[in-house]
Amino acid sequence: MKVILDIDDKRVPFFMELLKSLDYINIIKEVEDKEKGKAIQDLTEAFNDVKLYEEGKKSLKSAKDLLDEL
């Protein structure tokens, strides 16, 4: 399972030490760049929207509606 977290900057050192002490967690990548973090968050939300759409729990705008907004 993959989990994306947004951690308060003041608590990062403590949290990272905690994660490193757990042998069942593998840290794949740390993202410190705010812009990259925002892009990852947006992408995660988009995937979640698609999942909800596939489950019939959310309706999405059509491409035409998106273009009309421009």
Side-chain angles (χ1 to χ4, degrees):
M1 176 201 298
K2 310 287 188 255
V3 178
I4 297 174
L5 304 170
D6 184 19
I7 304 167
D8 185 323
D9 290 341
K10 293 178 271 183
R11 306 296 278 163
V12 169
F14 166 76
F15 189 77
M16 292 307 292
E17 284 303 314
L18 176 63
L19 288 179
K20 290 175 184 175
S21 72
L22 302 173
D23 63 350
Y24 54 89
I25 293 180
N26 182 22
I27 299 172
I28 298 170
K29 176 83 174 155
E30 295 178 38
V31 177
E32 296 179 14
D33 183 302
K34 297 282 185 188
E35 287 184 32
K36 287 181 183 176
K38 176 68 172 135
I40 291 170
Q41 181 180 357
D42 291 346
L43 191 56
T44 302
E45 289 174 11
F47 282 125
N48 189 48
D49 287 345
V50 170
K51 179 182 174 193
L52 292 173
Y53 172 78
E54 289 175 343
E55 293 173 352
K57 297 178 181 177
K58 182 172 186 163
S59 61
L60 301 177
K61 293 181 183 179
S62 69
K64 182 181 181 330
D65 290 340
L66 291 173
L67 291 174
D68 288 342
E69 288 182 13
L70 297 175

